[in-house]
Amino acid sequence: MTSTVHHHLPRLSHRPARAGLTAARTDGAVAGVRAEAVTTHSLWFGALRLTTGFVFLWAFLDKLFGLGYSTPSAQSWINGGSPTKGFLSSVAVGPFANVFHDIAGKPWTDWLFMVGLAGIGIAVILGVALRPAAVAGTLLMAMMWAAEWPLAKHTSAGAASMSTNPIVDYHVVYAATLIAIAYLGTRYRSFAEDKWLQIPFVQRHRGVLS
């Protein structure tokens, strides 16, 4: 009898240990999967943030230096050209055409446009001040949408407006992307944002500048 009891005791005593080991392995595997998912999401978010920011920064650099793509060197801002005159003065659709004609090429218009492009591009690339960048970018896209007025089928001269989509065009997509980046930025911080949040002024106005 005694030997039989002793024969079974080791098996009974090892069951809790084995169960605990299995649970620990399961928890570790789940944690590893979650960590891998977070890393993957962070990489994709970083790629989206960098590429979106570069769209705005490139537009700024091209208009500033005249890199020869959409802006010839002779028409660059540093050579006396206007970043807004060509585009706004050619607006031929929508109810705000005359308003855009009036502000086309004005110094304050050029400065606001260029500062907006640079600020949005740099902020999004670095991952700092994403909320202000999203607000500024959405306003900029809304104004450009109003200037191109995708709802119109024809220009004031009767020519085709060349609108590709009257409801969702690239201005809407860019604005939605900026808003999504600002929202997701609270989950996936960049190295620059960690430094940015340590600035006392930013800490005091974190709700606005983060």
Side-chain angles (χ1 to χ4, degrees):
M1 176 68 69
T2 303
S3 61
T4 302
V5 172
H6 287 174
H7 175 71
H8 288 285
L9 282 178
R11 293 184 180 181
L12 293 174
S13 62
H14 280 291
R15 284 179 182 177
R18 290 177 180 177
L21 181 60
T22 302
R25 288 177 177 175
T26 302
D27 293 341
V30 171
V33 171
R34 289 178 178 175
E36 183 178 356
V38 170
T39 301
T40 302
H41 294 168
S42 180
L43 290 175
W44 279 110
F45 171 72
L48 176 65
R49 182 172 53 78
L50 291 174
T51 52
T52 303
F54 188 67
V55 168
F56 290 88
L57 185 60
W58 175 264
F60 166 78
L61 295 174
D62 182 63
K63 295 181 182 303
L64 177 63
F65 298 110
L67 301 178
Y69 289 88
S70 64
T71 307
S73 178
Q75 298 178 13
S76 66
W77 201 24
I78 61 173
N79 286 330
S82 171
T84 63
K85 186 175 182 178
F87 172 65
L88 294 182
S89 62
S90 64
V91 173
V93 292
F96 306 107
N98 291 332
V99 175
F100 290 121
H101 293 166
D102 292 338
I103 65 175
K106 297 290 181 65
W108 64 268
T109 308
D110 290 342
W111 274 98
L112 282 177
F113 181 62
M114 293 296 281
V115 170
L117 287 177
I120 296 167
I122 294 173
V124 174
I125 287 175
L126 294 180
V128 302
L130 293 178
R131 289 181 184 176
V135 172
T138 300
L139 291 175
L140 180 60
M141 290 297 102
M143 292 188 65
M144 294 181 68
W145 183 93
E148 295 190 16
W149 202 252
L151 299 174
K153 293 183 178 180
H154 301 91
T155 67
S156 57
S161 66
M162 304 303 291
S163 174
T164 58
N165 190 318
I167 301 174
V168 181
D169 71 340
Y170 71 96
H171 300 102
V172 177
V173 173
Y174 282 148
T177 302
L178 288 171
I179 294 172
I181 289 174
Y183 172 75
L184 293 173
T186 59
R187 299 184 181 184
Y188 308 109
R189 289 184 181 176
S190 66
F191 173 79
E193 186 179 13
D194 290 335
K195 298 298 181 182
W196 170 262
L197 294 176
Q198 294 176 9
I199 300 175
F201 180 80
V202 175
Q203 290 179 348
R204 291 195 298 269
H205 303 84
R206 183 169 181 175
V208 177
L209 298 177
S210 62

